[in-house]
Amino acid sequence: MKQMTPEEQRLFEELYRSDDRKVEILHSLARMGGMITLTFLLPFALEKREEIRKAALAAIHQIMSRLRKQDVISLDQYIRRLTPYSNRNQLAAWHELLPEDIRAFPIHDESDLSFIGICSFHRNGYVREAAIEALLKQITGAEIPFLLIRLNDWQPKIRYLAFKACKLRFRPNYVKYFLDSIFLLKHLSAYYNREKFTDFLEEIEAMFRHPDNRDVLRSGFRSKDPVVRRFCFDLAINLPDIDPDEVIVEALIQKDALIRLQTVKHMCKQDENNRLRRWLDRIRCDVFPPIRQLALQAYVDHLPEEATDALLAALLDGHKSIREMARFYLKEKKIDFAAYYREKLVGAEEQVIPIAIVGVGETGVKADDQLIVPFLRHENERIQRAAVKALAMLNPEDHIEVFIRALQTNKRSASRETRQILADRVELHHADMLWEMIEKDVGLHVKKNILFLFSRINKADSISLLLRACVVQEKEIRDEAILYVEHWLQGYNRRFYLRLKDEQREKISHTLGEVREFLSEDIADSVEALLAKR
């Protein structure tokens, strides 16, 4: 659970000290607070002064309205575990809450209802029972999440009251509220085991499926809760009285890739090729690779006469698995894939070139490395990164120095890609070349990548290189080098053990003398202790 920020802690300290600004502070906490903040606001909702009480109730409701349903479950578990000794001074009014206080608490609006709902999370079973009895009398629908959570209460009477309250709400005007709490219903099905809720859940699902509730189901397509949206699309696509095209249109404009994916899976299982044909061109251009892969498979399985063109186009897909899939199904066509990708290196559109470069790496031969090397100096970052990848696939061992020079690019992703390729290949004899680069006026990202490579050289030699880096000009690089040294020292005798040779010991000792003033006393002493071991 996310802890309070320093700003929230400062406001709470002021809240307990000041009488003049209490309302203002409560409004500020309402805007920024999370679950922990909400917990410490509960005593203020029991204040006798109306102005403070209303501000606290409004703040609690505002925070509650931001929480996801899964967060409400976490809040219930957190509050129930608060003992009378938990933050006793701040939460005394909450710990001392009595059932009579709940019964006397008037519910005029949603803020009051949210507070009573949270009271149903109280550690005291009598307080929870009184809160459920109060919620049972409410008819706004906002009480439903609290009732569903209490269905798993360890007190049988509270479970029964919550169950009774939910059953009374099996009416058309409550369907949308049950739908909004679909995560809690799924949680009830998967994890609640004090009672069997099979019949209860079947009744709710029957409500969702009932033809009279189609408008509620469609409204779920635009819900802010992704769990609700996914449930509604999954249910609607399988209902016989809803036009599948209507659901497909709505699903394919969703930003949620899982909704698009589950809809496309359903389409691909159907035998209606005409409908599939209408949508496949659009689906195979989706930004989510698994969806494009499903579309390609659908061409192969359902529309083989149109599959070749789709497979040829997929040879230039940006995702490796789709390119591999296309090559697998096209292998009977006897296409020279390497030649196909080589042709695309010249005269193709700029967005095609990086895919063609990687394609050469995947299908080409060692000699193709000469076609790739010039692209390491290209201005386009994607092309640089693709060239690094392709060269690593074709002939990495002959181009270690080329990779090291490529680290200097001002394109961060290309430099990072190069670092990953060098990580398992860099050796001590490359250190001088790397050190020359770290002393040049290159980007900080380059120097950080070089530090990483220093850490990947064998342990006995890397420590002297990392110590040496603790005196570079840039403070950010010095600080990172010190962190690497600390990590090395922490790992010694835990993750690795080594016996230093005399020349290595002398080199570390000499380097320590040069950089000691930049190191903390603890680090310097640890290095000296390492040198003292024989």
Side-chain angles (χ1 to χ4, degrees):
M1 188 177 289
K2 188 177 180 181
Q3 298 300 310
M4 282 193 288
T5 64
E7 175 65 12
E8 288 175 275
Q9 291 173 349
R10 185 189 67 77
L11 286 172
F12 265 112
E13 289 173 7
E14 187 178 355
L15 184 65
Y16 291 116
R17 290 196 312 265
S18 168
D19 273 339
D20 299 334
R21 295 188 62 241
K22 269 187 165 55
V23 173
E24 182 185 343
I25 294 170
L26 287 168
H27 290 323
S28 298
L29 289 168
R31 290 191 296 272
M32 68 176 69
M35 282 191 281
I36 298 291
T37 304
L38 183 151
T39 304
F40 284 94
L41 291 176
L42 294 173
F44 293 95
L46 299 165
E47 270 275 348
K48 292 180 180 179
R49 286 171 286 182
E50 184 178 1
E51 188 181 14
I52 295 174
R53 184 175 69 252
K54 285 188 174 180
L57 287 168
I60 290 169
H61 178 65
Q62 192 171 332
I63 295 172
M64 280 294 293
S65 64
R66 291 198 298 266
L67 298 183
R68 304 170 302 167
K69 294 298 186 291
Q70 45 267 56
D71 295 330
V72 179
I73 294 173
S74 300
L75 181 65
D76 165 53
Q77 294 172 346
Y78 177 75
I79 290 179
R80 280 192 290 106
R81 289 170 183 160
L82 291 175
T83 69
Y85 305 101
S86 302
N87 300 98
R88 187 166 185 167
N89 293 333
Q90 296 96 332
L91 298 178
W94 173 257
H95 293 316
E96 295 164 7
L97 189 64
L98 298 172
E100 293 76 20
D101 300 325
I102 301 296
R103 295 188 181 102
F105 194 95
I107 301 179
H108 298 304
D109 54 27
E110 290 185 347
S111 298
D112 297 331
L113 193 147
S114 288
F115 176 70
I116 293 298
I118 295 171
C119 289
S120 72
F121 302 161
H122 200 279
R123 188 170 182 269
N124 186 320
Y126 294 109
V127 172
R128 294 199 308 278
E129 182 181 337
I132 292 299
E133 288 172 348
L135 291 174
L136 203 156
K137 299 171 185 176
Q138 302 306 305
I139 57 172
T140 65
E143 70 277 9
I144 285 178
F146 303 107
L147 297 173
L148 290 173
I149 288 174
R150 289 277 64 79
L151 285 172
N152 196 43
D153 197 280
W154 61 93
Q155 291 293 339
K157 185 176 180 181
I158 297 175
R159 293 201 300 273
Y160 171 73
L161 286 172
F163 181 76
K164 176 184 173 183
C166 288
K167 290 285 284 185
L168 289 172
R169 285 157 177 77
F170 279 10
R171 300 173 187 171
N173 55 323
Y174 282 97
V175 174
K176 62 180 178 181
Y177 299 110
F178 280 109
L179 183 61
D180 287 341
S181 297
I182 195 66
F183 180 88
L184 298 177
L185 290 168
K186 289 177 177 289
H187 192 265
L188 177 70
S189 172
Y191 300 106
Y192 287 11
N193 51 29
R194 290 191 172 95
E195 302 281 355
K196 294 294 183 183
F197 294 105
T198 306
D199 294 341
F200 176 82
L201 293 168
E202 286 177 355
E203 285 187 68
I204 292 178
E205 186 172 349
M207 280 200 308
F208 293 147
R209 291 178 173 277
H210 197 281
D212 292 345
N213 296 321
R214 290 292 173 265
D215 289 341
V216 175
L217 192 63
R218 289 186 177 94
S219 70
F221 293 168
R222 293 170 291 282
S223 171
K224 293 180 180 180
D225 187 340
V227 179
V228 174
R229 291 199 307 272
R230 291 169 190 172
F231 173 81
C232 289
F233 277 106
D234 192 39
L235 183 60
I237 197 71
N238 291 291
L239 291 175
D241 59 330
I242 292 185
D243 181 8
D245 284 335
E246 176 192 349
V247 181
I248 292 167
V249 168
E250 287 282 349
L252 294 184
I253 62 173
Q254 292 286 319
K255 292 181 180 179
D256 189 336
L258 288 180
I259 291 175
R260 303 198 306 274
L261 181 63
Q262 71 184 20
T263 304
V264 172
K265 281 182 178 178
H266 177 85
M267 292 166 62
C268 292
K269 289 177 184 176
Q270 307 304 307
D271 293 326
E272 299 179 28
N273 288 353
N274 289 334
R275 174 177 288 122
L276 196 58
R277 184 181 281 108
R278 286 203 307 272
W279 293 104
L280 272 181
D281 279 345
R282 179 173 173 179
I283 293 168
R284 72 176 184 173
C285 298
D286 196 279
V287 296
F288 192 43
I291 293 177
R292 299 200 302 274
Q293 195 164 4
L294 276 175
L296 201 58
Q297 191 66 55
Y299 271 111
V300 173
D301 294 341
H302 298 282
L303 304 168
E305 68 281 0
E306 302 172 29
T308 300
D309 290 341
L311 290 167
L312 287 170
L315 289 174
L316 294 173
D317 192 276
H319 201 271
K320 180 180 179 181
S321 65
I322 297 176
R323 294 193 298 272
E324 290 176 341
M325 179 180 177
R327 293 196 290 265
F328 174 79
Y329 283 113
L330 286 170
K331 62 185 178 182
E332 294 180 357
K333 304 288 184 182
K334 307 299 182 184
I335 296 173
D336 186 342
F337 296 117
Y340 174 84
Y341 287 121
R342 290 186 201 110
E343 290 176 9
K344 298 293 181 182
L345 294 177
V346 182
E349 297 176 357
E350 195 166 86
Q351 63 265 31
V352 172
I353 293 176
I355 302 170
I357 290 171
V358 176
V360 170
E362 291 167 347
T363 62
V365 295
K366 195 172 183 179
D368 287 325
D369 60 356
Q370 298 308 311
L371 297 173
I372 303 302
V373 170
F375 289 105
L376 290 171
R377 297 183 294 276
H378 201 282
E379 284 299 311
N380 185 297
E381 187 167 2
R382 286 188 65 220
I383 291 176
Q384 276 193 25
R385 191 169 68 247
V388 170
K389 284 183 179 180
L391 203 57
M393 286 186 273
L394 290 169
N395 187 12
E397 303 307 329
D398 291 347
H399 293 89
I400 299 298
E401 292 189 4
V402 173
F403 286 131
I404 291 175
R405 286 193 292 272
L407 275 173
Q408 301 176 78
T409 177
N410 60 354
K411 311 299 184 185
R412 290 175 180 270
S413 65
S415 182
R416 186 170 57 250
E417 186 73 38
T418 307
R419 181 196 77 175
Q420 294 305 112
I421 290 163
L422 287 169
D424 296 323
R425 296 181 172 92
V426 68
E427 296 176 0
L428 182 60
H429 65 270
H430 300 127
D432 289 342
M433 189 175 179
L434 289 168
W435 191 257
E436 286 177 15
M437 286 168 53
I438 211 171
E439 292 180 328
K440 290 181 181 177
D441 185 20
V442 294
L444 287 178
H445 68 280
V446 177
K447 296 187 178 186
K448 288 180 180 180
N449 289 337
I450 292 172
L451 284 181
F452 173 79
L453 292 176
F454 283 162
S455 73
R456 298 303 294 262
I457 294 173
N458 72 79
K459 294 294 183 183
D461 295 309
S462 68
I463 183 62
S464 59
L465 292 168
L466 293 170
L467 284 168
R468 187 179 173 189
C470 293
V471 296
V472 297
Q473 185 176 358
E474 297 86 355
K475 183 179 184 304
E476 189 174 343
I477 303 302
R478 291 201 304 272
D479 291 345
E480 188 151 336
I482 290 170
L483 287 176
Y484 274 112
V485 170
E486 289 178 335
H487 183 73
W488 192 101
L489 292 169
Q490 289 166 2
Y492 181 74
N493 265 357
R494 291 185 178 92
R495 294 186 298 273
F496 65 88
Y497 175 77
L498 53 84
R499 190 181 297 276
L500 295 173
K501 298 177 182 176
D502 288 341
E503 60 268 25
Q504 291 169 334
R505 195 183 305 277
E506 184 178 344
K507 190 173 183 180
I508 294 170
S509 178
H510 176 72
T511 307
L512 178 62
E514 293 180 336
V515 306
R516 189 183 188 102
E517 62 182 288
F518 293 91
L519 302 176
S520 69
E521 190 174 338
D522 288 345
I523 293 177
D525 289 347
S526 296
V527 176
E528 286 185 340
L530 170 72
L531 294 172
K533 292 180 180 179
R534 294 288 176 176

